[in-house]
DNA sequence: TTCCGGTCTGAAAACCTTTTCATTCCGCGT
DNA sequence: ACGCGGAATGAAAAGGTTTTCAGACCGGAA
């Protein structure tokens, strides 16, 4: 329609500087009027780049992940990439299969996989460019947060409020995030001389918090730090039902800062982890990896959000 | 490697019945050992089917949508399709553009678009097979819920508790869901003789509920129905801050049944809309549309979840 | 005038499948 | 013995791009 060959159309659209301005404008004009966009599948066939990214999350129903998805999605679109989303339903076994299926159709993968074993992750990363989010494996590009610093902020806050004996409700033992949190917490409490009571592991969900609340109450602590906000909310729920005043009788502190945290009453004091930013950083690192073959690591800052669920120790 | 032509490989893998068993087995064996999977982009080039679906949601941060995404995602994977996800950030203007970009790479689109104008939707649907979720447009395939029945359940529940004067806090006027809810509610209250006080429109979010709470309180009603759960939670939050007892002084009723609804205290009575099921149905309808060119409509049942936020009228 | 270099454009190959059409081979009926 | 039909396979085209290579054209230098 523009009276030029397909080759010139390609050049006019993707490398405009090499075609004569008059021709270029004519081609682009015609293309626009026809609503023509290059077929990305055909392009991918020859360039080897599909312009697609894969994103794997363990469970969208966990309010932590939609924010990450949002970040990935937004940044990917800015970089003119589309996003394949897969939810593994908390099944680490299914993850590898999903990644491999996706692998053929994407340039790279942003992987949120708190549970998958490290060797498996390495194997996957060798097959398809991969960036880990909220998971660190030596040698692989990853986005995480400064857990240690967040934990330091949380404990300092509690100490300032007069707490000296603190419980920790742990998440799944196999989860990397939980291991990190435990490690940080132990380090911080040892350094500050605070007494730490570890309550054992619960499901990282609302009902996990509900189920452990009575044991926390029996542990004679003045404050409790939960593995994440969902668990903290479960604690709050059960404590309210038992008539325990928060924060007067017990201070409750969460981790993540999911949107619900400030919607409940009392609002939850929590260590905010960057979520949307982590998603964006994941995409940045992935694109960087694709361009330069360099695996980078990024550690994002955390921030204690002081709300109503923590107060002076009795 | 199997000593046969590419044509035979294709046949052995996708139409096994037309190749001699011995050959077929040999080919499949070699394919497996090589980890060979047909390149879907190349296949799409010739078959015209990509095996990909698009999914557009207005805002993943709204807890209503992750469940839908989960449903779409799960069912699509069962049908061996991958899912492109796009979040439009509540920007109806951007939606059309996103759909068109996605259109070339997918067989069809599952579209959650409460705001987009009807003509625009029709135009889009003419360009690419589209199924609407929680939106009804005559002639287009769509998945919705029985709002009228849900509203009937809600109002009957309130009537049974002795409520006779009920407030409704509306969502965006341009939203299809809000229009449906208002329409249903008016019909039900007219029929039952309940007095309906319409409080006007708020943002369909937590802060929307917070901001309207005092006006509801001044309206001298004994119960309030909110456009959705987020607004209802905002109401609860502000009411708690004002020292109003729920449900003793005021009953609060939501819509959607997002996961948070049962995490707050008191837990929120709400009309549950099928979310994951809606996503699954969306995929089913889309695949049906692709196969048979027939546009179907599906109406899913709603279910009142009675929890702690509603009680007898004073 | 000739030749050179540079700029712009077109032809053709390549990417990886699937599908159509043709070919080969075999067994069977006449 | 011949021909026919059916089954199995291969060759080649097609799908929509991008890239490489070659060619056309033009201006300027020798």
């Amino acid at each position: 329609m523009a009276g030029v060959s397909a080759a010139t159309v390609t050049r006019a659209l993707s490398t405009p500087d090499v075609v004569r301005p008059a021709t270029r404008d004519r081609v682009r004009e015609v293309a626009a009027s026809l609503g023509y966009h290059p077929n990305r599948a055909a392009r991918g066939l020859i360039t080897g780049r599909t312009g697609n990214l894969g994103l794997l999350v363990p469970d969208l129903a966990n309010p932590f992940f939609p924010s990450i998805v949002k970040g990935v999605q937004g940044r990917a679109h800015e970089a003119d990439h589309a996003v394949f989303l897969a939810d593994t339903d908390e099944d680490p076994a299914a993850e590898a299969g999903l990644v491999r299926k996706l692998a053929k159709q994407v340039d790279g993968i942003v992987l949120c996989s708190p549970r998958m074993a490290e060797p498996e992750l390495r194997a996957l990363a060798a097959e398809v460019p991969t960036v880990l989010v909220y998971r660190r494996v030596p040698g692989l590009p990853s986005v995480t947060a400064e857990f240690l610093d967040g934990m330091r902020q949380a404990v300092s806050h509690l100490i300032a409020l007069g707490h000296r004996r603190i419980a920790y409700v742990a998440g799944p033992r196999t989860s990397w995030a939980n291991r990190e949190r435990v490690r940080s917490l132990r380090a911080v409490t040892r350094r500050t001389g605070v007494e730490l009571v570890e309550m054992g592991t619960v499901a990282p969900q609302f009902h996990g918090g509900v189920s452990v609340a009575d044991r926390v109450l029996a542990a004679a602590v003045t404050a409790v730090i939960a593995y994440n906000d969902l668990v903290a909310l479960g604690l709050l729920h059960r404590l309210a039902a038992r008539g325990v005043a928060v924060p007067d009788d017990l201070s409750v502190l969460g981790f993540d800062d999911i949107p619900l945290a400030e919607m409940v009453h009392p609002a939850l004091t929590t260590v905010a982890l960057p979520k949307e930013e982590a998603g964006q950083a994941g995409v940045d690192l992935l694109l960087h990896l694709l361009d330069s073959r360099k695996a980078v690591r990024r550690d994002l800052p955390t921030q204690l959000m002081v709300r109503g669920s923590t107060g002076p120790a009795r």
Side-chain angles (χ1 to χ4, degrees), chain A:
Chain A
M1 288 225 64
V4 297
S5 72
T8 301
V9 173
T10 279
R11 286 188 279 251
L13 296 178
S14 50
T15 48
D17 38 318
V18 307
V19 7
R20 195 156 51 100
T23 316
R24 158 164 50 77
D25 295 344
R26 184 157 35 91
V27 170
R28 307 195 97 162
E29 196 172 323
V30 172
S33 80
L34 259 51
Y36 168 85
H37 290 277
N39 178 319
R40 299 186 84 140
R43 163 185 294 173
L45 215 48
I46 177 134
T47 61
R49 288 276 291 248
T50 61
N52 298 331
L53 264 36
L55 172 58
L56 239 83
V57 296
D59 183 15
L60 267 175
N62 179 334
F64 185 71
F65 293 109
S67 309
I68 291 188
V69 175
K70 216 171 157 146
V72 168
Q73 215 286 133
R75 182 57 54 93
H77 271 267
E78 284 172 22
D80 203 33
H81 283 241
V83 175
F84 275 115
L85 177 71
D87 175 320
T88 63
D89 248 327
E90 291 279 6
D91 178 2
E95 278 178 27
L98 273 173
V99 171
R100 294 208 169 80
K101 255 182 70 177
L102 238 48
K104 310 281 162 164
Q105 316 192 58
V106 301
D107 298 333
I109 289 192
V110 175
L111 182 57
C112 300
S113 181
R115 311 282 180 76
M116 200 190 292
E118 217 175 289
E120 186 90 30
L121 282 175
R122 287 181 186 288
L124 243 36
E127 290 177 38
V128 49
T130 302
V131 170
L132 267 27
V133 170
Y134 280 111
R135 177 77 188 253
R136 192 151 52 218
V137 169
L140 301 187
S142 64
V143 178
T144 55
E146 297 165 346
F147 286 125
L148 181 61
D149 183 63
M151 218 35 118
R152 202 185 41 68
Q153 294 180 53
V155 173
S156 307
H157 169 66
L158 291 177
I159 290 177
L161 290 170
H163 299 274
R164 293 293 177 268
R165 190 174 146 85
I166 299 176
Y168 176 68
V169 176
R173 218 182 309 276
T174 52
S175 141
W176 181 83
N178 183 61
R179 291 199 304 272
E180 282 302 294
R181 286 170 206 192
V182 171
R183 210 162 53 78
S184 309
L185 185 54
R186 284 184 189 152
V188 172
T189 50
R190 193 178 331 115
R191 185 142 38 78
T192 55
V194 167
E195 191 177 351
L196 176 63
V197 183
E198 301 196 26
M199 304 297 306
T201 284
V202 301
Q205 271 133 31
F206 184 74
H207 68 83
V210 172
S211 66
V212 79
D214 298 304
R215 268 170 37 227
V216 171
L217 220 42
V221 296
T222 58
V224 53
I225 299 181
Y227 165 67
N228 69 11
D229 284 352
L230 282 178
V231 171
L233 292 176
L235 282 169
L236 287 183
H237 187 85
R238 175 66 184 164
L239 293 174
R242 292 255 331 246
V244 177
V246 172
D248 297 340
D249 296 334
L250 183 66
S251 286
V252 177
L253 210 144
F255 228 97
D256 285 358
D257 193 31
I258 59 181
L260 299 71
E262 53 180 348
M263 297 188 189
V264 295
H265 194 90
L268 185 65
T269 296
T270 188
V271 176
L273 302 185
K275 292 168 284 292
E276 215 165 314
E277 295 84 340
Q280 295 171 346
V283 173
D284 289 341
L285 261 53
L286 186 51
L287 295 178
H288 181 74
L289 175 67
L290 293 175
D291 283 349
S292 71
R293 321 290 312 151
K294 287 259 173 53
V296 193
R297 234 182 62 196
R298 189 117 96 218
D299 247 21
L300 302 172
T302 56
Q303 169 73 50
L304 177 70
M305 312 297 289
V306 176
R307 303 207 179 95
S309 69
T310 48
R314 280 218 297 193

